[in-house]
């Protein structure tokens, strides 16, 4: 299996073992950021993000043999909810739908919250992008935009 065939399974595992499970926090290299990492053999996943007033933005990078081979940038807004409230809902959605934020449409519901990830393309991991949202009582309470691609 070549490295591009290994990329998607590694990325899914790395995401599940960092933000989604509230693990992987390391000392951030950039001031005022949060940095999460997951390493396995020759692979390294790094997620660096900044949190503001009900908003955040960041970048995920996957390295193979210390070279970046995949990257995703993202921005989110959790509106009137607290960061803790949105984290609890979002982490559940991500743990139960590990292939979200790639190229497959995902819908999930818990406690009256409806999570939807709607990709702009369904062609595979080479180029991804889309929107993620959470609604409650037909009101949008969270939105997330992502875009990225394979770099090799």
């Amino acid at each position: 299996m070549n490295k591009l065939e290994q990329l998607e399974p590694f990325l899914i595992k790395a995401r599940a073992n960092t933000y989604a499970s509230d693990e992987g926090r390391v000392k951030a290299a950039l001031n005022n950021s949060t940095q999460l990492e997951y390493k396995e053999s020759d692979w390294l996943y790094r997620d660096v993000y900044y949190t503001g007033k009900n908003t955040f933005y960041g970048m995920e990078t996957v390295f193979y043999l210390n070279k970046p081979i995949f990257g995703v940038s993202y921005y989110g807004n959790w509106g009137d909810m607290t960061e803790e409230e949105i984290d609890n809902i979002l982490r559940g959605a991500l743990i139960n739908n590990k292939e979200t934020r790639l190229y497959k449409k995902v819908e999930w519901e818990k406690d009256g919250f409806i999570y939807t990830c709607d990709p702009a393309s369904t062609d595979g991991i080479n180029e991804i992008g889309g929107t993620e949202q959470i609604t409650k009582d037909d009101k949008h309470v969270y939105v997330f935009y992502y875009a990225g691609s394979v770099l090799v």
Side-chain angles (χ1 to χ4, degrees):
M1 183 182 297
N2 70 36
K3 68 182 172 195
L4 290 181
E5 292 171 334
Q6 295 172 13
L7 172 60
E8 184 174 335
F10 173 77
L11 178 61
I12 290 168
K13 190 173 184 180
R15 286 175 168 176
N17 284 284
T18 52
Y19 173 78
S21 61
D22 198 20
E23 296 178 5
R25 191 175 299 257
V26 298
K27 182 176 172 26
L30 302 173
N31 290 340
N32 302 311
S33 70
T34 299
Q35 185 168 321
L36 308 174
E37 292 186 0
Y38 178 79
K39 184 162 178 38
E40 186 177 283
S41 184
D42 296 327
W43 294 86
L44 172 66
Y45 166 87
R46 180 174 292 139
D47 182 6
V48 178
Y49 63 92
Y50 296 88
T51 304
K53 185 179 186 306
N54 299 11
T55 61
F56 60 93
Y57 76 95
M59 180 175 66
E60 297 173 300
T61 308
V62 174
F63 299 85
Y64 180 75
L65 296 173
N66 297 318
K67 294 183 179 135
I69 66 164
F70 179 81
V72 175
S73 60
Y74 59 86
Y75 161 80
N77 183 325
W78 64 81
D80 295 331
M81 297 183 73
T82 68
E83 184 175 2
E84 183 178 339
E85 288 171 324
I86 204 66
D87 280 347
N88 287 335
I89 298 159
L90 190 56
R91 285 189 172 116
L94 298 175
I95 288 292
N96 288 287
N97 303 281
K98 292 182 175 36
E99 295 180 339
T100 195
R101 296 181 180 167
L102 290 174
Y103 51 87
K104 296 178 183 176
K105 184 168 182 152
V106 173
E107 293 181 354
W108 183 76
E109 185 175 346
K110 181 182 179 191
D111 299 333
F113 290 93
I114 300 171
Y115 168 89
T116 305
C117 185
D118 196 11
S121 170
T122 57
D123 293 336
I125 197 166
N126 286 330
E127 188 173 290
I128 64 169
T131 305
E132 174 180 88
Q133 65 180 358
I134 297 174
T135 58
K136 172 116 177 162
D137 301 325
D138 294 323
K139 179 183 175 197
H140 284 66
V141 296
Y142 165 84
V143 65
F144 177 91
Y145 305 95
Y146 65 97
S149 71
V150 171
L151 302 171
V152 292

